[in-house]
């Protein structure tokens, strides 16, 4: 696309059974933050692809969309990456945004680069920051080597400038009473036709842990060492009414199967009031995802663990001694009589 | 890494490292603590072609040499010297059959040994001593059915897990009236062979060492390995080349572990606001460990290359075994010093390195015997 | 039907050594000296998936990589795993490519060596981690492509594939040719055996230069990359790192106290 005729920021809205996912709503909010830095104050356009999804227009508007492109058609009832990519690419071709943002969810990772190819443009993946430089240039900050290094990515010669971002990196914004302009768009997209077919979609039955509203997060790392240790840590987290999360090595060790609670560049970014880390060494992969925490307290046996550098408070100790002590304190205060008849 | 390894040897080292990190590294401490030998892993090493790597392809091996075998054992011993000696000993039975056995024995047993369908053991040492072969109480008597074996062997690695055993025993006297030794192959399921006491060792735990007892073990007429009366040659050749190169390779693994643990701890431990490794005295420890590791590496892989080229390497392997096993004791002890109090805590592996290094010394002949061999090669 | 399968391999700095990666304060360039290069971990899952298909259905597995000449060592390791042939696209003009230009070059290299039925890749790399090249290669080839593949098999002339989705799993059927990006859940990659190592030297391995590939010069290297790399820096996330000391119970009390101060209500 030529540079001159592209205007506005487009955000792809990913949908699940509950509606537009937080990741997308966050990006709509952030698009407004970018827009406020841009001289020409471009429109923020949300693209909704799905079947029977009219009710989501107000959600997109309330979270900051100036305009909503509705691609509402039964063919989108079941997610198919090729159809969704074709649809989003068609919307971008028609509405010519200068910036196109996609959540770095699993489906976003399929759709984003595919659309970038179709549009012959560049895309920066898993951005940790998206900003407008003083000279007006859109800068996408990406992590490399698991977050050990950050790099600026620019896309000066191609439009739209595409970027993806993990959930939790930026915050949702609420625009009460905002009304968005609505446009229906129903291009004839066919994807790969019958060369790709969905046999079945198997929804996850387990209830997923939500981290977006967690005030206290208790993270266990590889240092926990055993399943028994892990259970002990989770028990303490429950007593604290906190949410337990994990690092990649802890997940790989199989102590927890809650993949959605993996914090870091390949998982989620979190912004709790307090982060409590036990046996977490603090690899950049992980610490990238906790920088939004209000307070970081970490416990590790290794005095030189990198997690300590990014902590407000550090405890050089075996994690278990501290968890035992906290658990004992909490159980002592919350002790209830097991048999009320005795009283 | 030894400079003169060829491309295949370099890749073998990295592949063996990957296998060891996957199958062994995280369990080594537990095997040591529980003195557990992971016998199921023999098959894994067999499938990877890492048992009997020196056996020609026609008998199910990879057709390489003791250099490659040492590379594998070094990698195993980097994390578990105990399991390394179990694998090492299995290969001794293989080597004895390959170099001294009949064609029938080779065809029957080498493929099974290479695939770990049977586990091999070599029983030489008796209560009277390991290196004194002239006075073995075990007897191999010729009878109508073949040979009858009676005796008791001690400090035998794989004693309780080996089912293909090679024994030495006195089979008669020579023209000078001296006892002569024969080596004999005892196939699996042969009645009369049993394991006795299991030793509780200082180090190299995770390998099983103990007594083996033969009570009227009847072997067939074709079960002599090598020539009748030439059992000493079988034992000395097998132990002198395969045993000592193996023990030296295990020592290399311990040496490297001592270097790597010292570097890791030195960089991680903060003392007076700086990593421990900033202190010159600590650097001296790391340097000494590395120097001894490099020296031992050069000695061993030079000697194994000599053997693999078809030349006599017995004195050079004795020298390498002597130096490497003693150096492993010094190096693990130094790393322990570097770690201060942590060095004696069993959560850290360095105590195990030292115990393994110490237990490594008598196997295949003590350091004193090694010096006798080295000097003997010069003074004869 | 026997399958011709291409796998794409990226040599990456060993993630065990990420803490040794530094940025030169003067040149602002990445310093990766002394950091070994290994095969990207999920690429091994891709190789394993391809080898299993070959073992079951027959065919050939070809490895492709775009990297400097030193990647020959990594490709030898790939051959040791059981891959039949390896091709390395190595040329200075290919350097600095983003995912768009990389996928184009890989597409041309695969095209050059003949038609393939299937391309299998690692879902993402450990160093950049963009997860973009597989989809983009599929687009270049004009064939169906899926990411996040956790299981795959060849049935009745097509692939049946299971992918991990954001809220569950999806089963697809695809006609060949296709591009699949697999995750580590897909399988456990094999470790080469000694016999496999000894076969490496006998297998074809070729370096492809830019001139061998019939490339559009506007589509390769830095010039062909829509995105440009700007400054690089180490994120500064350091906090005060105040030590809490005492016996475990004292520390526990301090932690609970800090939680309350931060606005967490505790029972």
């Amino acid at each position: 696309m030529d540079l001159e005729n592209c205007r506005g920021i487009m955000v792809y809205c990913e949908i699940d059974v509950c509606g537009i996912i937080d990741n997308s709503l966050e990006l709509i909010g952030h698009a407004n933050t970018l827009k406020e830095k841009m001289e020409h104050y471009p429109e923020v356009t949300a693209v909704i692809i799905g079947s029977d999804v009219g009710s989501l227009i107000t959600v997109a508007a309330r979270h900051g969309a100036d305009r909503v492109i509705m691609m509402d058609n039964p063919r989108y009832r079941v997610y198919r990456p090729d159809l969704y990519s074709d649809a989003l690419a068609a919307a971008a071709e028609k509405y010519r945004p200068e910036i196109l943002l996609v959540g770095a969810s699993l489906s976003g990772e399929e759709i984003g680069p595919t659309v970038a190819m179709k549009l012959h443009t560049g895309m920066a993946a898993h951005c940790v920051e998206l900003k407008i430089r003083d000279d007006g240039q859109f800068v996408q900050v990406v992590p490399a080597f698991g977050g050990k290094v950050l790099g600026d990515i620019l896309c000066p010669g191609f439009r739209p400038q595409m970027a993806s971002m993990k959930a939790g990196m930026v915050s949702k914004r609420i625009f009460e009473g905002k009304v968005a302009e609505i446009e229906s768009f129903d291009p004839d997209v066919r994807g790969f036709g019958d060369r790709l077919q969905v046999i079945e979609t198997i929804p996850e039955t387990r209830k997923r842990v939500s981290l977006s509203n967690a005030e206290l997060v208790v993270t266990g790392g590889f240092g926990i060492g055993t399943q028994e240790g892990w259970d002990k840590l989770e028990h303490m987290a429950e007593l604290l009414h906190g949410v337990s999360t994990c690092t990649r090595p802890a997940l790989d060790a199989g102590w927890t199967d809650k993949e959605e609670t993996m914090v870091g560049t390949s998982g989620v970014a979190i912004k709790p009031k307090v982060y409590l880390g036990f046996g977490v060494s603090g690899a950049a992969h992980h610490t990238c995802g906790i920088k939004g925490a209000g307070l970081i307290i970490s416990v590790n046996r290794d005095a030189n663990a990198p997690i300590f550098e990014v902590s407000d408070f550090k405890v050089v100790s075996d994690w278990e001694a501290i968890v035992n002590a906290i658990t004992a304190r909490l159980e002592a205060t919350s002790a209830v009589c097991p048999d009320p008849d005795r009283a | 890494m030894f400079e003169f390894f060829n491309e295949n040897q370099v890749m073998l080292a990295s592949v063996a490292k990957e296998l060891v990190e996957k199958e062994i590294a995280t369990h080594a401490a537990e095997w040591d603590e529980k003195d557990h030998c992971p016998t199921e892993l023999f098959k894994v090493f067999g499938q990877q072609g890492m048992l009997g790597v020196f056996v020609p392809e026609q008998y199910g091996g990879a057709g390489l040499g003791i250099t490659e075998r040492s590379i594998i054992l070094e990698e195993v011993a980097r994390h578990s010297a105990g399991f390394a000696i179990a694998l090492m000993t299995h290969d001794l039975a293989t080597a004895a059959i390959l170099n001294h056995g009949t064609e029938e024995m080779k065809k029957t047993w080498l493929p099974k040994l290479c695939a770990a369908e049977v586990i091999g053991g070599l029983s030489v040492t008796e209560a009277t001593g390991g290196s004194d072969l002239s006075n073995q109480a075990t007897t191999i008597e010729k009878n109508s059915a073949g040979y009858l074996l009676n005796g008791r062997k001690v400090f035998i690695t794989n004693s309780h897990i080996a089912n293909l055993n090679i024994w030495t025993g006195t089979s008669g006297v020579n023209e000078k009236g001296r006892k002569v030794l024969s080596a004999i192959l005892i196939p699996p399921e042969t009645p009369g062979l049993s394991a006795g006491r299991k030793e509780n060792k200082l180090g190299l735990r995770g390998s099983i060492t103990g007594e083996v007892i033969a009570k009227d073990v009847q072997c067939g007429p074709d079960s002599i390995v090598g020539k009748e009366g030439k059992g000493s040659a079988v034992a000395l050749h097998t132990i002198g080349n395969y045993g000592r190169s193996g023990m030296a390779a295990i020592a290399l693994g311990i040496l490297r572990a001592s270097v790597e643990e010292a570097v890791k701890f030195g960089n991680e431990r903060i003392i007076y606001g700086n990593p421990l490794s900033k202190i010159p005295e600590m650097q001296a420890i790391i340097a000494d460990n590395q120097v001894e590791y490099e020296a031992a590496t050069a000695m061993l892989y030079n000697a194994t290359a000599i053997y693999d080229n078809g030349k006599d390497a017995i004195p050079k392997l004795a020298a390498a075994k002597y130096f490497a096993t003693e150096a492993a004791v010094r190096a693990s002890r130094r790393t322990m010093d570097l770690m201060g109090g942590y060095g004696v805590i069993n959560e850290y592996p360095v105590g195990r390195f030292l115990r393994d290094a110490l237990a490594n010394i008598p196997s295949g002949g003590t350091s004193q015997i090694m010096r006798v061999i080295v000097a003997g090669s010069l003074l004869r | 039907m026997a399958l011709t399968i291409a796998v794409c391999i990226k040599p990456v700095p060993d993630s065990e050594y990420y803490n040794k990666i530094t940025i030169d304060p003067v040149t602002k360039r990445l310093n990766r000296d002394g950091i070994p290069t290994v095969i990207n971990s999920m690429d091994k899952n891709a190789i394993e998936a391809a080898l299993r298909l070959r073992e079951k259905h027959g065919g050939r597995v070809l490895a492709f990589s775009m990297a400097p000449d030193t990647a020959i060592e990594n490709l030898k390791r790939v051959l040791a795993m059981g891959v039949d042939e390896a091709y390395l696209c190595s040329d200075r003009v290919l350097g600095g490519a983003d995912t768009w230009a990389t996928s184009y070059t890989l597409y041309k290299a695969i095209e050059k060596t003949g038609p393939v039925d299937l391309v299998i890749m690692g879902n993402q790399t450990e160093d950049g981690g963009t997860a973009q090249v597989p989809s983009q290669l599929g687009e270049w080839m004009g064939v169906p492509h899926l990411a996040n593949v956790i299981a795959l098999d060849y049935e009745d002339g097509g692939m049946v594939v299971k992918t991990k989705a954001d809220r569950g799993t999806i089963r697809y059927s695809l006609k060949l040719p296709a591009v699949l990006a697999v995750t580590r859940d897909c399988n456990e990659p094999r470790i080469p055996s000694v016999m496999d190592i000894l076969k490496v030297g006998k297998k074809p391995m070729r370096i492809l230069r830019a001139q061998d590939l019939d490339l559009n010069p506007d589509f390769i290297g830095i010039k062909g990359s829509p995105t440009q790399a700007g400054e690089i820096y180490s994120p500064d996330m350091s906090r005060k790192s105040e030590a809490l000391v005492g016996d475990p119970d004292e520390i526990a009390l301090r932690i609970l106290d800090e939680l309350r101060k931060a606005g967490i209500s505790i029972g």
Side-chain angles (χ1 to χ4, degrees):
Chain A
M1 283 184 207
D2 45 27
L3 301 184
E4 286 73 30
N5 297 323
C6 293
R7 273 292 174 104
I9 305 173
M10 181 178 275
V11 179
Y12 164 62
C13 294
E14 187 181 331
I15 291 166
D16 69 6
V17 285
C18 306
I20 302 173
I21 64 168
D22 281 345
N23 195 347
S24 303
L25 296 175
E26 289 161 9
L27 288 176
I28 296 175
H30 195 61
N32 278 275
T33 308
L34 294 173
K35 157 177 144 176
E36 288 153 12
K37 290 266 173 58
M38 292 159 89
E39 273 179 23
H40 56 290
Y41 209 67
E43 258 188 336
V44 173
T45 301
V47 178
I48 298 178
I49 305 173
S51 174
D52 205 6
V53 285
S55 61
L56 300 178
I57 293 169
T58 50
V59 180
R62 195 165 107 81
H63 286 83
D66 299 312
R67 177 169 66 170
V68 178
I69 311 291
M70 286 304 293
M71 305 185 76
D72 196 334
N73 188 304
R75 79 165 79 86
Y76 304 123
R77 194 178 51 81
V78 174
Y79 169 73
R80 246 180 78 159
D82 55 339
L83 286 182
Y84 274 57
S85 299
D86 279 0
L88 183 60
E93 263 165 359
K94 179 164 188 216
Y95 296 97
R96 312 180 75 77
E98 57 204 292
I99 293 172
L100 172 52
L101 306 179
V102 177
S105 62
L106 295 179
S107 72
E109 285 177 348
E110 291 184 309
I111 296 170
T114 307
V115 170
M117 263 299 299
K118 289 179 187 297
L119 302 175
H120 189 168
T121 190
M123 172 158 177
H126 305 152
C127 297
V128 294
E129 194 180 352
L130 297 169
K131 58 190 176 189
I132 304 293
R133 215 161 55 185
D134 291 343
D135 63 0
Q137 176 69 52
F138 179 50
V139 180
Q140 302 139 300
V141 184
V142 295
F145 307 109
K148 170 76 185 169
V149 172
L150 297 180
D152 289 349
I153 298 286
L154 311 174
C155 184
F158 295 82
R159 292 293 179 271
Q161 304 163 86
M162 289 186 65
S164 72
M165 199 177 227
K166 283 270 180 203
M169 284 286 169
V170 288
S171 301
K172 283 191 271 192
R173 291 176 61 178
I174 299 294
F175 297 79
E176 282 305 348
K178 180 159 181 159
V179 178
E181 184 189 328
I182 302 156
E183 288 196 38
S184 288
F185 179 47
D186 192 16
D188 180 22
V189 300
R190 292 163 187 215
F192 287 102
D194 67 354
R195 290 156 75 196
L196 177 72
Q197 283 170 15
V198 176
I199 302 170
E200 60 176 332
T201 299
I202 306 147
E204 194 172 58
T205 47
R206 184 171 60 80
K207 191 165 175 285
R208 293 165 72 92
V209 176
S210 170
L211 293 172
S212 52
N213 298 319
E215 293 201 328
L216 170 65
V217 158
V218 177
T219 300
F222 194 64
I224 298 301
T226 62
Q227 184 68 53
E228 298 77 62
W230 191 266
D231 297 342
K232 192 179 263 192
L233 184 72
E234 286 205 335
H235 176 60
M236 184 200 75
E238 271 171 39
L239 291 175
L240 283 168
H241 306 294
V243 180
S244 59
T245 66
C246 62
T247 63
R248 160 66 72 186
L251 180 72
D252 285 346
W255 301 322
T256 170
D257 58 359
K258 297 183 190 116
E259 194 163 352
E260 73 275 15
T261 66
M262 183 179 69
V263 175
T265 42
S266 56
V268 289
I270 51 172
K271 294 187 292 282
K273 279 184 185 164
V274 182
Y275 167 100
L276 259 178
F278 293 90
V280 174
S281 66
H285 304 75
H286 177 67
T287 54
C288 244
I290 63 170
K291 65 180 176 192
L295 181 74
I296 297 179
I297 304 176
S298 49
V299 181
N300 199 301
R301 197 174 69 179
D302 177 3
N304 204 26
I307 189 77
F308 288 149
E309 263 175 59
V310 305
S311 300
D312 297 288
F313 292 104
K314 68 172 182 182
V315 179
V316 182
S317 161
D318 216 45
W319 68 268
E320 207 163 356
I322 306 300
V323 167
N324 285 343
I326 294 176
T327 304
R329 281 273 159 199
L330 294 170
E331 280 176 343
T333 51
S334 68
V336 283
C337 186
D339 181 3
D341 288 344
R342 283 191 298 142
Chain B
M1 180 81 65
F2 189 53
E3 183 66 33
F4 298 108
F5 284 156
N6 64 33
E7 275 194 7
N8 287 339
Q9 290 166 338
V10 171
M11 196 188 290
L12 174 63
S14 91
V15 166
K17 182 169 189 267
E18 191 177 331
L19 181 69
V20 168
E21 284 173 355
K22 180 177 165 211
E23 303 282 355
I24 294 178
T26 51
H27 308 293
E30 187 190 335
W31 296 338
D32 174 72
E33 195 185 327
K34 298 186 176 155
D35 200 6
H36 166 73
C37 182
T39 47
E40 68 284 354
L41 277 187
F42 276 82
K43 278 230 160 59
V44 173
F45 276 77
Q47 277 157 12
Q48 296 293 136
M50 293 189 184
L51 294 177
V53 73
F54 48 84
V55 172
E57 287 173 48
Q58 68 198 93
Y59 302 120
L64 300 169
I66 63 168
T67 304
E68 287 80 3
R69 174 174 179 262
S70 299
I71 289 170
I72 295 164
L73 289 173
E74 178 184 338
E75 291 302 332
V76 176
R78 162 63 186 87
H79 290 283
S80 174
F83 186 59
I85 197 175
L87 293 178
M88 201 300 289
T89 306
H90 173 84
D91 269 357
L92 294 185
T94 310
I97 294 171
L98 174 68
N99 294 300
H100 310 281
T102 64
E103 187 58 30
E104 192 56 35
M105 287 176 185
K106 292 189 211 179
K107 277 195 208 147
T108 310
W109 298 114
L110 292 179
K112 289 192 165 68
L113 282 160
C114 289
E117 285 169 34
V118 293
I119 292 183
L122 177 66
S123 299
V124 175
T125 300
E126 298 191 356
T128 49
S131 297
D132 179 10
L133 295 177
S134 62
N135 201 24
Q136 294 216 321
T138 297
T139 57
I140 299 175
E141 284 172 72
K142 206 164 186 166
N143 63 11
S144 56
Y147 297 90
L148 192 69
L149 174 72
N150 276 291
R152 191 171 71 93
K153 299 286 184 180
V154 299
F155 304 149
I156 302 303
T157 306
N158 292 353
S159 53
H160 290 59
I161 59 171
N163 52 2
L164 182 78
N165 288 283
I166 293 174
W167 277 53
T168 56
T170 303
S171 62
V173 292
N174 65 9
E175 57 277 14
K176 291 178 188 161
R178 288 204 188 121
K179 283 183 179 176
V180 293
L181 222 58
S182 289
I184 192 162
L185 186 150
I186 306 137
E189 316 287 333
T190 305
L193 199 67
S194 62
R197 165 195 165 89
K198 189 173 153 186
E199 304 297 345
N200 181 8
K201 300 194 294 293
L202 169 76
L204 297 174
R205 296 162 70 86
S207 67
I208 293 166
T209 305
E211 264 183 346
V212 202
I213 299 148
K215 191 163 188 317
D216 293 332
V217 174
Q218 180 66 54
C219 300
D222 301 322
S223 43
I224 296 294
V225 182
K227 290 202 174 71
E228 194 173 330
K230 299 289 181 193
S232 294
V234 175
L236 291 176
H237 178 269
T238 305
I239 293 167
N241 293 302
Y242 294 79
R244 287 177 201 139
S245 64
M247 300 317 295
I250 292 169
L252 287 193
I254 301 171
L255 274 162
R256 206 172 88 211
S258 302
V259 172
E260 290 175 5
E261 282 298 322
V263 169
K264 183 165 176 265
F265 191 87
N267 281 335
E268 281 178 2
R269 173 90 171 136
I270 304 293
I271 193 103
Y272 309 124
N274 274 315
L276 193 63
S277 57
K278 295 274 181 208
I279 300 171
E281 269 297 305
M282 299 298 126
Q283 292 177 1
I285 285 178
I286 290 168
D288 283 352
N289 280 4
Q290 177 67 9
V291 167
E292 294 213 297
Y293 171 60
E294 286 182 19
T297 303
M299 284 177 79
L300 175 63
Y301 290 114
N302 182 52
T304 59
I306 291 170
Y307 179 83
D308 287 337
N309 282 324
K311 293 184 226 148
D312 174 35
I314 296 264
K316 286 225 160 27
L317 284 169
K321 193 255 177 194
Y322 167 46
F323 180 78
T325 55
E326 293 285 350
V329 175
R330 294 191 292 267
S332 48
R333 164 70 206 277
R334 281 189 209 106
T335 299
M336 201 175 239
D337 289 346
L338 175 139
M339 293 174 68
Y342 290 99
V344 297
I345 305 288
N346 275 337
E347 267 174 66
Y348 292 86
V350 66
R352 169 162 59 91
F353 299 161
L354 178 59
R355 288 185 288 105
D356 288 346
L358 286 164
N360 212 13
I361 287 180
S363 302
T366 61
S367 292
Q368 288 69 31
I369 294 282
M370 293 308 105
R371 286 188 285 189
V372 168
I373 294 168
V374 173
S377 73
L378 299 171
L379 297 173
R380 68 173 163 227
Chain C
M1 187 186 90
L3 296 166
T4 303
I5 306 169
V7 288
C8 298
I9 307 300
K10 185 177 185 189
V12 294
D14 190 339
S15 58
E16 303 254 315
Y17 294 78
Y18 279 177
N19 59 359
K20 296 215 163 111
I21 294 176
T22 52
I23 296 170
D24 187 304
V26 181
T27 64
K28 299 280 180 195
R29 289 209 171 162
L30 223 48
N31 181 2
R32 319 174 2 173
D33 288 352
I35 297 170
T37 299
V38 297
I39 302 164
N40 178 50
S41 127
M42 283 189 205
D43 297 354
K44 290 187 179 177
N45 298 97
I47 296 168
E48 181 65 36
L51 294 175
R52 289 186 190 184
L53 285 173
R54 184 193 67 189
E55 282 157 10
K56 203 164 161 189
H57 304 286
R60 287 188 307 153
V61 178
L62 320 178
F64 292 85
S65 188
M66 188 182 93
D69 284 4
T70 48
I72 284 285
E73 290 311 312
N74 303 102
L75 284 178
K76 282 182 186 162
R77 184 62 175 263
V78 167
L79 291 173
M81 282 182 76
V83 167
D84 300 294
E85 299 169 31
Y87 298 91
L88 174 64
C89 307
S90 169
D91 202 311
R92 292 178 73 156
V93 300
L94 302 175
D98 71 1
T99 64
W100 197 92
T102 302
S103 55
Y104 170 71
T105 308
L106 288 171
Y107 156 61
K108 295 298 280 185
I110 293 170
E111 187 187 58
K112 168 90 183 173
T113 56
V116 298
D117 300 303
L118 182 63
V119 180
I120 308 182
M121 311 176 68
N123 201 64
Q124 71 187 78
T125 58
E126 286 155 281
D127 55 350
T130 66
Q132 295 189 163
V133 176
S135 310
Q136 299 193 327
L137 178 62
E139 287 295 309
W140 279 112
M141 294 174 67
V143 302
H145 50 89
L146 291 171
N148 305 310
V149 171
I150 53 174
L152 70 166
D153 204 359
Y154 175 66
E155 281 174 21
D156 308 325
M159 297 300 298
V160 174
V161 166
K162 193 176 190 182
T163 69
K164 185 164 69 175
D166 292 291
R167 281 153 293 273
T169 54
I170 306 175
R171 284 212 310 141
Y172 293 95
S173 70
L174 295 93
K175 289 194 176 145
L176 297 180
V179 177
L180 301 175
V182 300
T183 68
R184 54 171 66 83
D185 298 323
C186 200
N187 53 44
E188 173 94 22
R190 68 193 62 191
I191 294 174
S193 74
V194 177
M195 287 69 83
D196 292 328
I197 293 171
L198 298 178
K199 287 181 197 146
V200 169
K202 298 175 192 120
K203 292 183 177 180
M205 176 151 58
R206 205 179 142 200
I207 296 188
L208 301 169
R209 303 293 179 200
Q211 72 216 31
D212 301 325
L213 288 177
D214 186 27
L215 298 165
N216 179 339
D218 293 334
F219 285 5
I220 59 170
I222 293 182
K223 190 179 164 198
S225 299
T227 59
Q228 292 178 4
E231 244 184 277
I232 52 171
Y233 36 93
S234 305
D236 181 14
M237 294 174 48
S238 56
R239 300 193 181 202
K240 63 181 177 177
S241 198
E242 184 183 328
L244 301 182
V245 291
D247 66 33
D249 193 48
E250 287 164 3
I251 292 172
L253 278 178
R254 263 308 293 280
I255 290 176
L256 292 174
D257 196 35
E258 292 299 334
L259 292 186
R260 283 187 198 98
K261 278 197 235 163
I264 306 288
S265 51
I266 296 161

